[in-house]
Amino acid sequence: MNPAKAIWNKRANAHLKTVARYSSYAGRSGFFLFLLIAVIAGSYGYGKLLSALPESFPYRAALAAWLTLIAAVSPIRTLLRKADLIFLVPMESRIGPYFRAAFLYSFAGQSFLTLCAVTIAMPMYQHALGAGAEPFLAVLLFALAMKFANLLGSWMESGIVRPGERASFRAARWIGSAALFNLYFSLGFIAASAAFFAVLAAMALWARSSRKVTVNWLYLLEKEAAHQTNMLLFFNWFIDTDLPSRVKPRRLWTRFVQRIPVRRENTYLFLYWMTLIRSDMFGMVARMTLLSFIILMFTERPLVYAAVYLIFHTVTAVQLASLERYHRHSVWPALYPLPVSLRRASAASVAFAVQLAQAAVLALPAFRPDVFTPWLLALPIAGAASAAFFRFRASRDSRD
């Protein structure tokens, strides 16, 4: 067996074992049962939504946007490690089987997500076009071809040296995917297939004429580290994981943290504010807050509003609970002559402030006249109480 392929097989087996182990903890927490309930409830709500949508609703644009999102987001899991810059770079001329296996592994996993996405899209597609809709297998085949092409484009993109050109290539890939899906839902399989090969040839010519390297090791390592971090952040909801440190500047937000007075008791407060703002957790909390805010803006029933509010606020609270674990394996905080209890209390204070801010932001859509009900005012109070509970529990653990 080729040495590169043997290395991939070993790493892929270890990775799958890790995912299986963490997934078992997620299953024990009841996550998969919750997911099943969410699917059943979502299916019921989806059917009600389709029956309520007006004829003027832009079905084709909505379907194209949904499948473009699934197809264009096409990361390639390479399972690379930092030591590969020393041990694998010298065998770059023979590394092809490794990356081909990584490509096929990524396509296999993302093909399942594509299948789920097409299954979700089909009821709306058939509702909109009726007898004129293409069969399920035709839609699935085209979506899988788009997924394969986007993965291929993602690999071509990784070899481009200039970051600006790489971003332009990625933007063109998104625009091309959206245009092809729109063409498919407007003119059908044959016309979209012809355009598909034309766009694929144009993107290949662009990539070939760009300044490229065979393997952009540093870029691939950065992307793999991001994938690994996102995976560990997800499983960290269910069990403690060894979160890697990935620092992002976020200079605008950092300026606010730098206004914290320089005092002994604020040492860990400063540390955890900077940790939150410059880590992936900040992006995750911001995205969840923005997504829930958008959903609440289009929610008219008070009970549904309250359910969405509480679900997102609870998920944020669970995620913020892992903030204190970020520096548990670092030797530097242990060298400071400060009590451990101060560290935990400071992390709890940061999480408390973020939860309060989110509770206030998510309460704003409740003041719309078409949804406002006096008892909805209890939601931010419940959010504040939940934040206080998490802070109290963390402070109690720190005293213990």
Side-chain angles (χ1 to χ4, degrees):
M1 180 183 290
N2 183 287
K5 185 64 181 298
I7 294 173
W8 168 261
N9 289 341
K10 183 178 180 180
R11 291 186 179 181
N13 290 333
H15 173 70
L16 291 174
K17 288 179 181 178
T18 301
V19 172
R21 185 174 72 253
Y22 285 144
S23 297
S24 66
Y25 288 107
R28 293 172 194 171
S29 69
F31 173 74
F32 296 118
L33 178 61
F34 167 78
L35 200 60
L36 178 61
I37 296 172
V39 169
I40 296 173
S43 301
Y44 175 78
Y46 188 28
K48 291 288 187 181
L49 176 65
L50 289 180
S51 61
L53 288 177
E55 294 183 2
S56 59
F57 183 79
Y59 290 98
R60 291 181 176 87
L63 290 167
W66 166 245
L67 292 180
T68 296
L69 178 65
I70 300 300
V73 178
S74 298
I76 299 177
R77 292 302 307 266
T78 58
L79 306 182
L80 290 176
R81 303 169 183 174
K82 290 183 179 180
D84 294 337
L85 293 174
I86 298 174
F87 297 105
L88 291 189
V89 170
M91 58 181 295
E92 184 174 306
S93 59
R94 296 176 292 149
I95 202 67
Y98 182 96
F99 289 114
R100 281 193 292 271
F103 183 93
L104 293 175
Y105 169 80
S106 301
F107 178 67
Q110 294 176 44
S111 292
F112 176 73
L113 295 179
T114 304
L115 172 63
C116 295
V118 172
T119 304
I120 293 172
M122 283 305 294
M124 179 178 287
Y125 180 48
Q126 293 171 342
H127 177 78
L129 274 73
E134 299 275 356
F136 175 81
L137 288 179
V139 180
L140 178 61
L141 179 62
F142 187 78
L144 288 175
M146 289 291 295
K147 170 57 72 174
F148 186 88
N150 272 279
L151 277 168
L152 194 61
S154 182
W155 175 255
M156 294 177 183
E157 174 188 310
S158 70
I160 298 176
V161 175
R162 298 184 181 92
E165 187 175 5
R166 193 187 306 137
S168 300
F169 190 89
R170 186 184 306 117
R173 186 163 58 81
W174 275 78
I175 294 171
S177 298
L180 286 172
F181 276 118
N182 267 297
L183 189 62
Y184 182 90
F185 292 120
S186 299
L187 300 180
F189 183 83
I190 297 177
S193 298
F196 169 81
F197 288 108
V199 172
L200 186 63
M203 296 295 287
L205 287 174
W206 181 357
R208 187 171 183 179
S209 62
S210 301
R211 184 183 174 189
K212 294 183 61 180
V213 292
T214 305
V215 180
N216 195 343
W217 292 94
L218 293 177
Y219 177 80
L220 291 176
L221 277 170
E222 179 185 347
K223 287 296 181 182
E224 178 58 31
H227 301 327
Q228 185 71 8
T229 299
N230 291 333
M231 184 190 78
L232 293 178
L233 277 172
F234 170 74
F235 285 118
N236 200 63
W237 293 4
F238 314 105
I239 186 175
D240 292 351
T241 57
D242 295 330
L243 292 169
S245 57
R246 187 173 58 160
V247 179
K248 297 185 178 181
R250 296 198 174 104
R251 295 180 179 85
L252 179 62
W253 292 98
T254 301
R255 292 174 185 172
F256 291 99
V257 181
Q258 290 173 343
R259 295 183 180 181
I260 296 177
V262 181
R263 298 173 185 164
R264 182 176 183 273
E265 60 270 20
N266 292 339
T267 302
Y268 287 123
L269 194 66
F270 179 86
L271 173 66
Y272 282 108
W273 270 117
M274 292 294 286
T275 300
L276 173 68
I277 288 175
R278 302 183 70 180
S279 68
D280 294 281
M281 186 179 291
F282 180 83
M284 184 172 291
V285 171
R287 285 191 294 271
M288 282 194 294
T289 303
L290 179 61
L291 176 62
S292 56
F293 185 85
I294 293 173
I295 294 174
L296 292 174
M297 285 296 295
F298 291 94
T299 302
E300 297 181 356
R301 297 182 179 180
L303 287 177
V304 177
Y305 188 102
V308 173
Y309 184 102
L310 294 174
I311 288 172
F312 277 93
H313 190 74
T314 303
V315 169
T316 302
V318 173
Q319 188 61 42
L320 287 170
S322 63
L323 180 62
E324 191 267 334
R325 304 172 195 153
Y326 263 79
H327 300 286
R328 60 177 180 168
H329 297 304
S330 176
V331 67
W332 295 110
L335 298 178
Y336 284 87
L338 295 170
V340 177
S341 59
L342 181 61
R343 182 197 309 183
R344 294 174 178 170
S346 299
S349 298
V350 173
F352 177 71
V354 174
Q355 287 178 262
L356 283 182
Q358 189 193 55
V361 169
L362 296 187
L364 295 178
F367 291 94
R368 291 177 294 137
D370 57 340
V371 72
F372 180 76
T373 302
W375 65 265
L376 285 179
L377 295 175
L379 289 177
I381 298 175
S386 171
F389 169 76
F390 277 96
R391 183 182 182 184
F392 170 76
R393 190 176 66 174
S395 300
R396 184 187 61 185
D397 293 343
S398 67
R399 290 194 297 269
D400 295 341

